[in-house]
Amino acid sequence: MLYWNLFIHTDLILFIWVSVTVLYLTVFAITSLFARHSQTPKAKNENRFIIIIPTKKNGISVEATVRSILGQTYSQRLFDVTVVANNEDEITLFHLAQQPITLLTPNYTDNIWTKSLQVAINNLPQFKIYDSAIILEAGDLVEPEFLQQMNDAYESAGTKVIQAHKLALNRDTTSARLEAIFEEINNSIFRRGHISVGLSASMASSGMVFNFDWFKNHILAAKASWADKDLEATIMREYIYVDYFDNIFVYSEKARQAEEFNRKRISWIITQWKTFFHNIHYLPTALFNRHYDLIDKLLQWMLIPRIVMMAIIIAMAIITPFIYMTAALKWWGIFTLVIFVFAIATPNYLVDEKWDSTFFKVPAVLFSSVLKRFKIGRKLLDVINLKQ
């Protein structure tokens, strides 16, 4: 009887939490279908940009990013590039030093993103005046018109922060395909779906442009290792709208191995919940003031991360039929709904013969890192990382 009650309560709690998450995803997946930016008019003014690229042991990836941003059609005199190369190898530093950029070489192990941006800001020439700051990651590639598009979008948006469209550069393994799909689902639900109803878009860790003075003041005051989400929370609290431009692309290199995929996901999950608990005390004030952006952001951070949600649904859909068939029906139903929602939110170019099978491999991708020390784990890694 004790085990039966435990099963019933666990099943119910998980299903309610998953259902709330799925309902949220469903609403914004549908609204994303109606979001369209009108043609961005050409800006009357040319902003001066500082592009900051924090990197740690990325080698060839950061070199490719630098070449990409230097090959812009935008006037060379209107942008500068700063690379914060933390613990990079000597060959990479030698190659970077040949480029017309500012190369900084700190050496630290914690708060990488935060400290890298602070080092970059603190080392900017005093005589240089910038209008906007752009953050890119090592491995990001942009098109030659990227800065011109960012300049037009920044003036058109009339806000202090905009987010570009991040999408996958590679889809050559199961882990890479899964990350590529989830990236585009995030773009649809948390960015395009949100701006369609007047809510702020979610920020990614790169492909962002900030008002320079605002960014400088806030990043120098940041202390948390999760400064990207902490900045996002600050933006919400200060009633700053985050716009999203679906037609400005940043091609991001995706994790090819399950271990790297899991490491990034675990880091993001920890960051998400840290930020939630750090900001939950603002909820009563947000409700009282009808501050919908902040309310939405807190709700968003409270939801189950998609990768964990998929693992729970698949695991429960497999386990519950052996315990109580009626309990399994609702998990099968919500699994069908989730696949439908993800299909709506996934662009057509990603929906191919491998799309369905990729989702079924979610539990394998999640647990492969744990099992890698064992023979079965090594075989599992070999299977899910085959180039197909």
Side-chain angles (χ1 to χ4, degrees):
M1 191 67 176
L2 176 62
Y3 293 111
W4 175 251
N5 287 333
L6 180 62
F7 164 74
I8 291 296
H9 286 94
T10 302
D11 177 77
L12 182 61
I13 291 170
L14 286 176
F15 187 76
I16 291 174
W17 197 10
V18 167
S19 296
V20 171
T21 302
V22 172
L23 177 62
Y24 183 94
L25 299 177
T26 303
V27 169
F28 287 106
I30 293 172
T31 60
S32 72
L33 299 176
F34 304 99
R36 292 290 183 272
H37 255 301
S38 57
Q39 186 67 29
T40 306
K42 188 171 180 58
K44 296 179 181 178
N45 302 309
E46 292 183 316
N47 286 286
R48 184 170 180 82
F49 294 98
I50 176 66
I51 296 96
I52 304 175
I53 308 170
T55 177
K56 181 182 179 182
K57 297 180 180 179
N58 287 106
I60 296 175
S61 294
V62 68
E63 293 178 43
T65 302
V66 169
R67 288 194 298 271
S68 173
I69 198 65
L70 289 176
Q72 294 294 298
T73 57
Y74 202 65
S75 175
Q76 295 284 327
R77 63 182 178 82
L78 291 174
F79 71 92
D80 295 318
V81 180
T82 294
V83 174
V84 186
N86 181 37
N87 289 308
E88 284 289 356
D89 61 83
E90 292 185 4
I91 294 178
T92 298
L93 293 177
F94 175 79
H95 290 161
L96 290 173
Q98 312 306 309
Q99 303 294 335
I101 64 173
T102 299
L103 177 61
L104 305 173
T105 57
N107 187 4
Y108 43 76
T109 57
D110 60 338
N111 292 12
I112 303 300
W113 197 84
T114 310
K115 286 186 177 178
S116 292
L117 298 179
Q118 290 172 341
V119 166
I121 294 296
N122 282 325
N123 283 276
L124 292 177
Q126 295 295 321
F127 62 89
K128 289 286 185 75
I129 297 175
Y130 297 103
D131 301 298
S132 308
I134 293 178
I135 312 301
L136 294 176
E137 289 180 334
D140 287 350
L141 299 181
V142 295
E143 296 173 341
E145 299 79 21
F146 174 73
L147 286 182
Q148 184 61 60
Q149 291 176 322
M150 278 294 204
N151 186 65
D152 295 341
Y154 187 70
E155 184 169 302
S156 173
T159 186
K160 293 182 179 180
V161 186
I162 64 174
Q163 174 66 55
H165 182 167
K166 290 191 68 176
L167 67 167
L169 184 63
N170 60 296
R171 302 194 304 275
D172 48 355
T173 67
T174 296
S175 296
R177 284 197 300 275
L178 193 58
E179 191 168 357
I181 292 170
F182 280 174
E183 183 83 81
E184 285 287 30
I185 288 173
N186 286 343
N187 286 330
S188 295
I189 294 174
F190 298 105
R191 298 182 183 107
R192 192 165 60 247
H194 274 63
I195 65 170
S196 70
V197 294
L199 292 171
S200 281
S202 177
M203 291 165 52
S205 56
S206 69
M208 302 171 289
V209 58
F210 297 88
N211 171 273
F212 178 77
D213 291 333
W214 185 94
F215 178 76
K216 176 182 177 180
N217 293 333
H218 286 78
I219 197 62
L220 291 179
K223 296 179 180 179
S225 59
W226 63 95
D228 52 341
K229 289 300 178 188
D230 205 39
L231 275 180
E232 189 170 14
T234 302
I235 287 168
M236 296 300 106
R237 295 198 302 270
E238 294 186 5
Y239 290 83
I240 297 172
Y241 181 72
V242 180
D243 208 346
Y244 169 69
F245 285 79
D246 209 37
N247 60 337
I248 304 177
F249 301 113
V250 176
Y251 301 90
S252 178
E253 190 173 14
K254 300 307 176 187
R256 288 181 169 83
Q257 303 299 322
E259 184 177 6
E260 183 185 355
F261 177 90
N262 287 332
R263 180 186 57 77
K264 290 170 67 175
R265 285 304 177 283
I266 291 170
S267 175
W268 290 344
I269 291 169
I270 293 172
T271 296
Q272 174 181 318
W273 283 341
K274 274 184 178 179
T275 312
F276 171 74
F277 288 115
H278 189 70
N279 290 277
I280 186 60
H281 63 281
Y282 293 109
L283 182 58
T285 304
L287 290 169
F288 180 78
N289 293 327
R290 298 180 182 179
H291 189 176
Y292 298 118
D293 268 345
L294 184 54
I295 295 169
D296 170 73
K297 192 58 61 177
L298 290 169
L299 175 59
Q300 188 181 122
W301 289 333
M302 183 182 67
L303 302 176
I304 306 176
R306 268 75 61 205
I307 189 75
V308 177
M309 181 191 71
M310 285 300 298
I312 290 173
I313 292 174
I314 293 173
M316 294 300 287
I318 294 172
I319 294 170
T320 49
F322 298 100
I323 302 173
Y324 188 53
M325 179 57 73
T326 304
L329 296 177
K330 64 180 183 293
W331 289 107
W332 294 348
I334 206 164
F335 176 77
T336 304
L337 177 59
V338 165
I339 294 298
F340 174 71
V341 170
F342 284 173
I344 292 176
T346 305
N348 291 338
Y349 79 92
L350 286 176
V351 183
D352 53 23
E353 68 279 359
K354 298 175 183 176
W355 188 84
D356 289 332
S357 63
T358 299
F359 284 105
F360 283 106
K361 293 176 182 177
V362 166
V365 173
L366 277 176
F367 296 119
S368 59
S369 294
V370 178
L371 298 174
K372 71 170 187 172
R373 297 182 182 179
F374 304 99
K375 187 175 181 180
I376 185 175
R378 290 195 295 270
K379 289 183 177 179
L380 185 58
L381 280 170
D382 290 340
V383 170
I384 65 176
N385 285 305
L386 283 176
K387 294 185 178 181
Q388 297 177 4

